[in-house]
């Protein structure tokens, strides 16, 4: 077999491994500083070093790869920087779980030995996801791969921390934070997931010092042991006379001042608020305003402290709640309980309910950093795609709070501050300290905490390019071109990169932010281990190939919107790739092996040639425009339609007459056009399905440069031919109408029919006459062309298309009696099935108990059956009159 001929069946596994190795070894992904070309740079959102490829990664990186491959073909100096994140909490939890299997804790090892174990674990498992990204086809510059704790990134982190610290933008203080009792660390506000949770609202009577009581509603009665005031709204007439008086804390007996504060919501509960500064962020703010003491009654282990009193100390917080409610009820101080559903904060990593705690932590003052970040977006220096995310970003940044950056972990960037045990002063240092620079004491110790993972990720666009050194890469590729990321980390990551880029580079980190949605299961649920509804991309690649997965993800995505994963759509993507393979195989089999073909300009093009080439110009123009606007799904869908419908189902079929005919010049013209159009299609498709297109390209153009570095197609204005498109469009209308009549009348595909076409329009008649053979081959029949019909044919199906009367005489095509009998039987079976479905849909019990998707499926079935019933009745009605 010729080397140019493709095997009958496409085998993705063998092809993908071959071409990825070829690209990587040939340094085709290499990003070079080249001032003669425009830069195009993307930094990969660094996946966790703990992770494996999931569908979210597959979508995110496929979209990035489409963009980088497209810009590379356009001649840009492209760089896609890959890397991984150390993922403090997640990685430490993994290693601690491994230690637990050995009966050990990190404290048994000590900090230094524990970190050795983490690094060993990272070396063993940490690069799994980058190997899997290669399977997906990601064309990153792997020579520039970075890790958020590599030497360069670590240096950048220290430099940023120290500069912010020296400017007074980093400070340490006691503040209320979100504490995870399981992870034993603080987490930031945006790392708290608020889940709607069933609970109770407890109405508790607080006795008044002067007699009587005030009722307060709370969802957390165990925290009342730490109350230091009762607050009411100064505008609330119910409590105006109580302001300045005292209440008695139930179960404890402590006197509480009754204070006025505008924060209190008069509509919630009773309009009176218990103030617990140590255990509620809003109460903490009230406490600061009114100089209230903070009494910590829940410890960092989520057990009650000594301050909670002898009866409650040492209890788990949930047991303490039960006992407090029991004691209040026994003392007649529990007025009532109400069932409610309310938002409860959970740790985004482990799912534990977080506790607000006052703790000494490190913070970044965000207001000075946020103001330039607001201006950058409002002034258009950064564009969000879709635009609606601009408002979401601005709302958050304009209302930003200080960022708690310290974490009580061992794995991560340790805070570069040393505390002196003698003079009590703290010093930030780039290279460590042996002595206190203030008093000379050698009793200095580094702060035990590490930085929030997102602190190092916030520097990613410039730390990966060599900052704080002013490298050639930094000067050429910064600001990066576009950030591709999910809508779920706009606050975690996108905003923080903008803050840091503007602060330390004096410019935005990227010009555009392309936001995509999440990959959900077929029912619209988030994929998760607990639901067991996740789909492993590696398994999909094994079964369907990487190109099928990529094409399914891209064609299913629209900017900013979630995508539902359907295996049917995955099969559809694989079918398209097989269609492309088979069409390419047909073209290659019909090219002469030894003879070089002339160029398009050197052959005389026929109408259908001019038509397909003109249609291709429109596709090139629209695909490029879609990519410019990040409508990647629209671009891919357009290519699917053109390739499958216009090229394969129309042009190839029309070209067969010349390929198999006796005219060598006509055959050569068809070959030239087939090869030219296929080659352009391969270029357009390459960013989306790189493996199969590269394989076909090397058979189509042996000896030429790889497809990955071919030039992106440009629109050739001279090839646009509106007249050819209109003419072929008319022929297509006629063919479709005849095919529809054949299908409707159940004419067997192999039976040749006589087709009568009637028109008085000279141009249409001439067109039909000139292209009679093409039309006849497409309708499997013989054309009879008439200007006028004196008498309508007997027993003929009829249609009108493009102003042309079409008649399909049925005599000899079908056995009318047999067809009537078959249709009657089919109609009866269909009506029985329709009746069964309708009985089910009329059953209130079924509608009440069946899942919504099952009901929807039955309704869709009813609609389809009714449509088929009407079609059968129409056909029977026609045949009854024959």
């Amino acid at each position: 077999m010729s080397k140019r001929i493709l095997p009958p069946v496409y085998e993705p596994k063998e092809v993908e491994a071959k071409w990825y190795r070829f690209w990587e070894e040939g340094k085709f992904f290499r990003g070079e500083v080249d001032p003669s070309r425009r830069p195009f740079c993307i930094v990969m959102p660094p996946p966790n070093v703990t992770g494996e490829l999931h569908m979210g990664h597959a979508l995110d990186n496929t979209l990035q790869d489409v963009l980088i491959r497209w810009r590379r073909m356009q001649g840009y100096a492209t760089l896609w920087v890959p890397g991984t994140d150390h993922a403090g909490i997640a990685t430490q939890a993994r290693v601690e779980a491994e230690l637990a299997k050995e009966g050990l804790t990190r404290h048994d090892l000590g900090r230094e030995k524990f970190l050795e174990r983490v690094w060993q674990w990272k070396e063993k498992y940490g690069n799994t996801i980058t190997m899997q990204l290669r399977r997906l086809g990601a064309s990153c510059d792997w020579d520039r791969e970075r890790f958020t704790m590599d030497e360069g990134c670590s240096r950048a982190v220290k430099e940023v921390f120290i500069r912010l610290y020296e400017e007074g933008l980093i400070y340490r203080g006691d503040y209320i934070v979100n504490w995870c009792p399981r992870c034993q660390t603080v987490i930031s506000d945006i790392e708290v997931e608020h889940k709607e949770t069933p609970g109770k609202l407890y109405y508790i009577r607080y006795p008044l010092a002067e007699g009587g009581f005030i009722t307060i509603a709370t969802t957390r009665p165990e925290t009342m042991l730490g109350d230091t005031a009762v607050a009411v709204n100064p505008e609330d007439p119910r409590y105006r006379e109580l302001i300045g008086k005292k209440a008695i804390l139930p179960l404890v007996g402590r006197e509480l001042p009754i204070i006025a504060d505008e924060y209190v919501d008069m509509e919630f509960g009773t309009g009176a608020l218990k103030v617990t500064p140590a255990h509620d962020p809003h109460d903490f703010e009230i406490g600061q305003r009114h100089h209230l003491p903070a009494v910590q009654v829940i410890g960092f282990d989520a057990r009650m402290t000594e301050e909670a009193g002898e009866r409650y100390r040492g209890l788990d917080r949930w047991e303490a709640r039960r006992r407090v409610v029991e004691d209040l009820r026994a003392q007649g101080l529990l007025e009532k309980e109400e069932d409610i559903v309310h938002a409860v904060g959970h740790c985004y990593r482990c799912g534990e309910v977080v506790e607000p705690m006052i703790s000494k932590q490190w913070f970044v003052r965000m207001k000075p950093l946020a103001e330039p970040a607001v201006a950058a977006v409002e002034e258009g220096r950064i564009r969000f795609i879709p635009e609606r995310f601009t408002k979401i970003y601005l709302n958050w940044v304009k209302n930003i709070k200080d960022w708690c950056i310290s974490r009580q972990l061992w794995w991560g960037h340790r805070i570069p501050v040393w505390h002196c045990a003698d003079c009590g002063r703290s010093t930030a240092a780039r290279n460590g300290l042996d002595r206190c620079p203030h008093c000379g004491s050698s009793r200095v110790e580094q702060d035990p905490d590490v930085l929030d993972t997102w602190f190092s990720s916030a520097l990613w666009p410039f730390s990966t390019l060599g900052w704080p050194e002013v490298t050639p890469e930094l000067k050429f590729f910064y600001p990066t071109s576009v950030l591709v990321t999910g809508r779920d980390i706009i606050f975690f990551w996108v905003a923080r990169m903008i803050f840091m880029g503007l602060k330390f580079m004096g410019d935005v980190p990227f010009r555009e932010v392309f936001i995509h949605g999440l990959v959900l299961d077929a029912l619209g649920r988030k994929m998760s281990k607990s639901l067991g509804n996740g789909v492993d991309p590696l398994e999909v690649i094994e079964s369907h190939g990487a190109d099928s997965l990529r094409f399914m993800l891209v064609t299913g995505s629209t900017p900013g919107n979630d995508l539902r994963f359907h295996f049917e759509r995955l099969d559809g993507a694989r079918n398209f790739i097989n269609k492309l393979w088979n069409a390419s195989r047909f073209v290659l089999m019909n090219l002469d092996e030894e003879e070089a073909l002339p160029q398009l300009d050197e052959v005389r093009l026929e109408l259908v040639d001019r038509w397909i080439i003109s249609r291709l110009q429109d596709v090139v123009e629209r695909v490029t425009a879609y990519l410019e606007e990040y409508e990647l799904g629209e671009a891919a869908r357009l290519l699917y339609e053109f390739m499958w419908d216009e090229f394969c189902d129309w042009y190839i079929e029309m070209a067969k007459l010349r390929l198999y005919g006796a005219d060598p010049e006509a055959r050569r013209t068809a070959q030239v056009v087939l090869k030219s159009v296929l080659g352009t299609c391969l270029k357009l498709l390459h960013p989306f399905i790189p493996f199969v297109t590269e394989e076909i390209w090397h058979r189509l153009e042996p000896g030429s440069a790889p497809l990955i570095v071919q030039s992106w197609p440009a629109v050739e204005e001279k090839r646009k031919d509106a007249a050819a498109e209109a003419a072929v469009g008319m022929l297509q209308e006629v063919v479709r109408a005849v095919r529809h009549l054949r299908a409707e009348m159940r004419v067997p595909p192999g039976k040749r029919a006589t087709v009568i076409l009637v028109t008085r329009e000279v141009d249409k008649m001439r067109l039909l006459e000139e292209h009679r053979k093409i039309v006849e081959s497409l309708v499997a029949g013989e054309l009879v062309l008439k200007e006028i019909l004196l008498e309508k044919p007997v027993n003929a199906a009829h249609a009108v298309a493009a102003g042309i009367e079409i008649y399909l005489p049925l005599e000899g095509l079908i056995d009318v009696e047999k067809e009537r009998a078959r249709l009657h039987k089919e109609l009866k079976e269909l009506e029985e099935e329709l009746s069964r479905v309708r009985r089910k849909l009329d059953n209130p019990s079924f509608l009440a108990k069946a899942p919504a998707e099952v009901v929807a499926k039955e309704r869709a079935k009813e609609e389809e059956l009714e449509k088929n019933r009407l079609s059968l009745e129409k056909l029977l009605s026609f045949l009854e009159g024959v």
Side-chain angles (χ1 to χ4, degrees):
M1 182 186 289
S2 164
K3 289 183 180 179
R4 291 185 69 167
I5 304 304
L6 294 169
V9 178
Y10 175 55
E11 298 291 350
K13 195 178 295 185
E14 178 186 324
V15 168
E16 289 168 5
K18 174 180 74 175
W19 286 117
Y20 201 88
R21 186 168 57 249
F22 172 84
W23 293 326
E24 191 169 2
E25 290 176 357
K27 304 294 183 185
F28 290 102
F29 306 155
R30 179 74 181 165
E32 299 286 359
V33 173
D34 183 353
S36 68
R37 294 189 290 160
R38 288 178 65 188
F40 184 83
C41 180
I42 298 177
V43 290
M44 177 187 290
N48 289 350
V49 76
T50 59
E52 293 187 349
L53 191 68
H54 59 61
M55 276 300 166
H57 292 128
L59 172 63
D60 190 65
N61 286 283
T62 295
L63 296 176
Q64 290 173 80
D65 195 47
V66 169
L67 293 173
I68 210 82
R69 286 178 183 271
W70 166 53
R71 291 299 195 191
R72 187 185 289 123
M73 294 175 77
Q74 283 193 318
Y76 284 72
T78 57
L79 171 62
W80 184 12
V81 181
T84 49
D85 191 275
H86 63 281
I89 293 176
T91 305
Q92 180 159 317
R94 285 285 191 95
V95 178
E96 290 197 72
E98 292 296 313
L99 286 176
K101 294 175 186 175
E102 303 170 30
L104 298 170
T105 70
R106 62 178 160 127
H107 300 286
D108 294 326
L109 268 66
R111 187 166 193 146
E112 191 175 330
K113 291 290 183 186
F114 175 75
L115 289 177
E116 286 178 15
R117 287 289 291 267
V118 182
W119 278 106
Q120 289 169 11
W121 189 92
K122 185 262 177 189
E123 290 306 312
K124 186 174 181 181
Y125 300 108
N127 297 321
T128 301
I129 196 166
T130 57
M131 298 308 297
Q132 293 174 336
L133 287 171
R134 287 172 164 89
R135 293 287 308 276
L136 187 68
S139 59
C140 315
D141 185 348
W142 294 108
D143 291 338
R144 297 183 190 271
E145 184 178 351
R146 301 302 298 272
F147 175 52
T148 50
M149 282 181 63
D150 67 26
E151 188 178 341
C153 288
S154 295
R155 185 183 169 201
V157 166
K158 282 182 187 173
E159 189 65 29
V160 165
F161 182 96
I162 288 165
R163 289 193 198 179
L164 291 174
Y165 180 83
E166 289 173 347
E167 287 184 42
L169 292 176
I170 284 182
Y171 65 94
R172 192 180 188 218
D174 291 317
Y175 200 80
I176 193 125
V177 294
N178 306 293
W179 181 264
C180 176
R182 183 179 297 174
C183 296
Q184 281 291 293
T185 182
V186 65
I187 59 175
S188 68
D189 289 344
I190 55 175
E191 292 170 320
V192 177
E193 292 182 347
H194 290 92
K195 300 178 184 178
E196 292 297 310
T197 308
K200 289 184 181 292
L201 190 60
Y202 301 90
Y203 289 77
I204 303 167
R205 292 174 175 169
Y206 281 51
L208 298 170
E210 296 180 358
F213 59 84
I214 183 171
T215 301
I216 293 171
T218 180
T219 59
R220 304 182 68 213
E222 69 281 7
T223 65
M224 69 179 289
L225 304 171
D227 288 357
T228 55
V230 171
V232 297
N233 194 296
E235 301 300 317
D236 196 330
R238 295 172 294 178
Y239 303 120
R240 200 169 285 150
E241 293 181 3
L242 293 180
I243 295 170
K245 296 185 177 178
K246 304 284 186 183
I248 308 300
L249 181 58
L251 309 181
V252 176
R254 184 164 63 237
E255 273 197 349
L256 306 176
I258 299 174
I259 61 175
D261 196 282
E262 291 180 353
Y263 167 76
V264 180
D265 182 356
M266 291 186 282
E267 303 301 319
F268 178 77
T270 64
L273 178 75
K274 58 186 276 309
V275 183
T276 321
H279 296 290
D280 182 275
H282 300 297
D283 293 6
F284 178 82
E285 299 285 351
I286 293 172
Q288 295 280 296
R289 287 195 290 273
H290 296 270
H291 308 291
L292 300 173
V295 178
Q296 185 176 342
V297 294
I298 302 175
F300 292 101
D301 58 356
R303 293 188 172 276
M304 306 308 285
T305 67
E306 293 285 335
E307 295 279 9
E310 188 174 344
R311 178 163 169 74
Y312 307 106
R313 70 181 177 216
L315 292 179
D316 170 81
R317 54 186 163 163
W318 312 124
E319 174 59 22
R321 177 178 296 181
R322 188 193 65 75
R323 190 173 291 187
V324 164
V325 170
E326 182 183 279
D327 292 348
L328 288 169
R329 189 179 288 115
Q331 293 182 26
L333 297 175
L334 185 66
E335 190 171 290
K336 63 177 179 176
E337 301 174 33
E338 287 178 356
D339 290 330
I340 61 167
V341 175
H342 61 141
V344 176
H346 292 71
C347 173
Y348 82 116
R349 281 294 178 196
C350 71
E352 184 65 69
V353 174
V354 299
E355 279 295 334
M357 296 280 200
I358 293 176
S359 174
K360 193 175 288 294
Q361 301 289 342
W362 289 95
F363 295 86
V364 176
R365 297 186 201 278
M366 295 308 297
K367 288 291 183 188
L369 298 176
E371 287 168 7
V374 168
V377 173
E378 288 184 336
E379 293 166 7
R381 285 181 283 143
I382 296 177
R383 180 169 80 104
F384 279 84
I385 300 108
E387 200 274 334
R388 69 177 184 270
F389 288 101
T390 303
K391 185 177 179 182
I392 293 169
Y393 164 86
L394 289 173
N395 284 344
W396 185 74
V397 175
K398 286 178 179 179
N399 295 286
I400 199 164
K401 294 180 180 177
D402 285 357
W403 175 16
C404 179
I405 55 170
S406 46
R407 298 291 182 268
Q408 288 63 57
L409 303 170
W410 287 355
W411 172 245
H413 293 280
R414 194 164 175 182
I415 290 175
V417 172
W418 279 257
H419 306 293
C420 179
D422 289 331
C423 72
R425 305 273 296 270
S426 297
T427 308
R430 290 171 176 81
N431 301 312
L433 285 178
D434 295 324
R435 291 186 174 277
C436 174
H438 304 287
C439 71
S441 170
S442 60
R443 297 210 304 146
V444 290
E445 191 171 320
Q446 188 174 359
D447 195 287
D449 290 352
V450 300
L451 289 164
D452 175 13
T453 299
W454 297 101
F455 190 93
S456 51
S457 299
L459 319 182
W460 195 242
F462 54 92
S463 67
T464 53
L465 296 174
W467 190 91
E469 296 295 326
V470 183
T471 63
E473 289 80 6
L474 189 64
K475 289 168 70 176
F476 184 68
F477 286 112
Y478 190 94
T480 64
S481 307
V482 59
L483 176 75
V484 181
T485 192
R487 60 175 172 79
D488 52 334
I489 55 172
I490 292 174
F491 309 138
F492 281 102
W493 191 43
V494 179
R496 288 167 175 171
M497 282 190 287
I498 295 172
F499 300 151
M500 294 302 192
L502 289 165
K503 176 67 178 172
F504 292 96
M505 291 297 298
D507 201 352
V508 296
F510 25 73
R511 301 296 186 198
E512 295 176 308
V513 182
F514 174 28
I515 302 290
H516 60 76
L518 307 177
V519 183
L520 309 176
D521 71 6
L523 301 178
R525 302 173 300 176
K526 192 172 180 179
M527 291 186 178
S528 69
K529 288 181 181 176
S530 58
L531 288 174
N533 63 341
V535 179
D536 185 347
L538 270 297
E539 289 182 8
V540 171
I541 290 171
E542 284 292 321
S543 61
H544 288 70
D547 284 333
S548 295
L549 174 60
R550 289 169 62 110
F551 202 70
M552 185 278 292
L553 290 171
V554 176
T555 52
S557 71
T558 53
N561 296 328
D562 293 339
L563 176 158
R564 292 195 182 194
F565 185 97
H566 293 277
F567 276 99
E568 297 85 353
R569 290 190 57 254
L570 183 65
D571 290 338
R574 180 172 59 182
N575 292 343
F576 171 69
I577 287 162
N578 287 336
K579 182 85 168 180
L580 172 64
W581 183 264
N582 291 332
S584 302
R585 187 168 187 268
F586 172 83
V587 171
L588 290 166
M589 288 174 70
N590 283 281
L591 295 182
D592 297 323
E593 182 70 22
E594 303 301 329
E595 192 176 346
L597 288 173
Q599 299 300 306
L600 271 179
D601 288 327
E602 299 169 355
V603 294
R604 188 171 61 82
L605 300 176
E606 295 191 6
L607 174 70
V608 294
D609 303 324
R610 298 197 307 274
W611 164 75
I612 194 68
I613 293 168
S614 181
R615 292 293 308 122
L616 183 60
Q617 304 316 304
D618 177 67
V619 170
V620 170
E621 191 167 40
R622 290 169 62 199
V623 165
T624 305
Y626 280 138
L627 290 173
E628 292 283 359
E629 288 302 313
Y630 297 99
E631 292 284 358
L632 278 61
E634 288 300 313
R637 286 188 286 273
L638 177 60
L639 287 169
Y640 175 98
E641 290 164 6
F642 176 78
M643 192 72 208
W644 190 297
D645 186 30
E646 297 185 90
F647 183 64
C648 293
D649 288 356
W650 285 101
Y651 184 74
I652 286 181
E653 292 305 312
M654 292 189 288
K656 283 179 180 178
L657 286 174
R658 286 180 288 164
L659 290 174
Y660 303 150
D663 185 344
E665 187 180 342
R667 171 179 165 80
R668 182 173 298 181
T669 299
Q671 289 174 324
V672 168
V673 176
L674 282 166
K675 183 180 179 185
S676 174
V677 174
L678 177 59
T680 301
C681 287
L682 292 175
K683 291 176 182 178
L684 294 171
L685 283 164
H686 179 74
F688 304 95
I689 45 175
F691 294 109
V692 68
T693 52
E694 189 75 83
E695 175 73 6
I696 296 168
W697 176 261
H698 281 261
R699 309 291 183 112
L700 187 70
E701 296 286 358
S704 68
L707 188 54
I708 191 173
V709 290
Q710 286 291 322
S711 294
W712 184 253
V715 176
E716 295 180 74
E717 292 294 332
K718 68 177 183 179
R719 300 290 183 193
K720 291 183 177 180
D721 192 331
E725 290 194 40
V728 175
M730 191 214 83
L731 296 177
Q732 288 176 312
E733 279 190 63
V734 171
V735 170
R736 288 192 191 99
V738 175
R739 285 174 171 175
H740 179 72
L741 286 178
R742 289 184 63 115
E744 197 176 46
M745 294 299 129
R746 312 291 177 94
V747 176
K751 282 214 172 184
R752 290 190 65 79
T754 298
V755 180
I756 302 169
L757 303 178
V758 184
T759 179
R760 289 186 175 182
E761 296 183 48
V762 176
D763 290 344
K764 290 180 181 177
M765 182 63 77
R766 185 186 302 117
L767 191 65
L768 289 167
E769 189 65 65
E770 288 175 357
H771 298 87
R772 174 192 291 270
K773 288 183 179 178
I774 287 177
V775 176
E776 287 180 338
S777 71
L778 294 173
V779 301
E782 294 175 6
L783 297 188
V784 176
L785 304 178
K786 293 180 176 290
E787 289 184 20
I788 190 166
L789 201 62
L790 298 174
E791 188 177 338
K792 290 184 180 179
V794 180
N795 300 340
H798 172 255
V800 177
I804 298 170
E805 296 265 4
I806 302 171
Y807 294 92
L808 181 67
L810 298 175
E811 190 174 344
L813 292 180
I814 59 172
D815 184 324
V816 175
E817 289 300 324
K818 233 185 227 184
E819 192 64 16
R820 282 194 201 123
R822 190 181 65 75
L823 289 174
H824 274 297
K825 182 183 177 187
E826 190 176 328
L827 183 61
K828 183 183 177 186
E829 291 172 353
L830 190 148
E831 285 174 335
E832 287 173 356
E833 176 67 6
L834 183 59
S835 176
R836 185 193 66 76
V837 171
R838 283 178 172 163
R839 281 198 303 274
K840 188 182 283 190
L841 289 171
D842 288 339
N843 183 345
S845 176
F846 169 75
L847 296 176
K849 294 177 183 176
E853 61 270 16
V854 173
V855 175
K857 200 171 181 181
E858 289 297 311
R859 292 201 190 283
K861 188 187 289 185
E862 179 194 26
E863 193 176 321
E864 184 65 21
L865 288 168
E866 176 62 18
K867 182 178 165 187
N868 291 342
R869 184 183 70 81
L870 292 172
S871 177
L872 281 176
E873 285 181 345
K874 180 183 173 185
L875 180 54
L876 260 173
S877 175
F878 174 79
L879 291 178
E880 297 288 1
V882 171

